[in-house]
Amino acid sequence: LRNITSEKEVQKLRELDKIKTNFIANISHELRTPLAAIKAYTETILNTEMNQEEIIEFLSIVYEQSIKLEQLLNDLLDFSQLESHTMKLVKENVNLCEILDRAIETVRNLAVQRNVEVRTSCKNVMAFCDPRRIEQVLVNLLSNAIKFSDEKKETKYVTVQIDKTPTNQVEIVVEDNGIGIPEDKLDKIFEKFYRVDNELTYSIPGTGLGLAIVKEIVELHNGEISVSSREGVGTTFTVRFPASENSN
Ligand code: ADP
């Protein structure tokens, strides 16, 4: 019996080791891509004669890429806070529809690039929450919905609906008609580092940390997140958390 246990433990450790190796390869790639772009574009600006318009165009690419780097570092910092359970919320009363507007602004370029329509439904939903963190939840869910959209579909969309339930819970539903997630992988996607193994995940950048961070933030708001999905049809994420302090 002892031997079986230790064999299982060794296997588990091997898996963990593989996950970490993959993660480092992944993160190195994620860092290198924007860095290479920043280097190449600044080199061109420095070594080529360019007019003002061209310089501005190149600098905006440099700016965009540095934002990518910043986001990646923020994810890593959040992840270390998640691991040490030191993430702190700064709660206030906010209108979630305004937060949604800001989140949509952040993903607008990505949505245009991938030709994904973003549809929303939100009317003055007030909640006591950490606006920065909830915005991060929305940005993560929205950018996943856009990233994993289905090229084969003529109309690609993601809809976000924010409401309050009769029990004074905030309900955020993010639905897409993307590639979907295989049923046997649904409980894995919230695990740190996990990415579904398919063609798209190789070409689409990501660390597999996004949903682990989202889940932690939602749980810190005393809420929960669930997912339902069908391969080739689409995916729906539902987030619920108490709208006010005393609805806990
Ligand atoms: P990342 O986006 O960095 O890969 P996440 O933790 O955000 O990491 O997501 C984990 C995995 O879950 C993704 O790699 C992808 O395979 C799957 N996934 C998440 N959201 C969606 C979605 N809306 N549609 C299809 N697959 C998704």
Side-chain angles (χ1 to χ4, degrees), residues 144-145 147-148 176 180-181 189 194-196 201 206-208 210-211 235:
N144 275 346
K147 286 193 300 187
F148 299 104
D176 65 59
I181 301 164
I189 57 170
Y194 187 80
R195 311 189 73 211
V196 178
T201 33
T207 54
L211 285 175
T235 304

Side-chain angles (χ1 to χ4, degrees), residues 31-96:
L31 286 167
R32 193 165 41 198
T33 311
L35 198 60
I38 290 171
K39 195 170 160 220
Y41 280 98
T42 44
E43 255 167 20
T44 313
I45 295 170
L46 289 171
N47 299 329
T48 329
E49 265 188 36
M50 298 170 85
N51 62 36
Q52 180 86 354
E53 209 175 298
E54 288 166 329
I55 292 177
I56 289 175
E57 191 196 323
F58 274 38
L59 281 180
S60 55
I61 297 172
V62 170
Y63 181 66
E64 221 172 77
Q65 295 299 321
S66 52
I67 288 182
K68 269 203 183 148
L69 276 181
E70 191 181 33
Q71 277 166 0
L72 188 64
L73 287 175
N74 283 340
D75 264 11
L76 288 175
L77 281 175
D78 285 347
F79 175 66
S80 65
Q81 287 188 5
L82 185 157
E83 290 284 87
S84 56
H85 301 284
T86 52
M87 191 185 280
K88 295 268 180 312
L89 298 183
V90 186
K91 289 188 179 183
E92 55 183 287
N93 271 312
V94 288
N95 186 349
L96 289 176

Side-chain angles (χ1 to χ4, degrees), residues 114-141:
R114 308 257 168 150
N115 194 21
V116 177
E117 234 180 87
V118 183
R119 307 167 181 168
T120 60
S121 159
C122 190
K123 283 204 186 78
N124 282 327
V125 181
M126 296 300 297
F128 187 67
C129 63
D130 185 330
R132 195 172 73 87
R133 292 299 183 185
I134 296 298
E135 184 179 335
Q136 190 180 359
V137 166
L138 288 167
V139 168
N140 258 303
L141 294 178

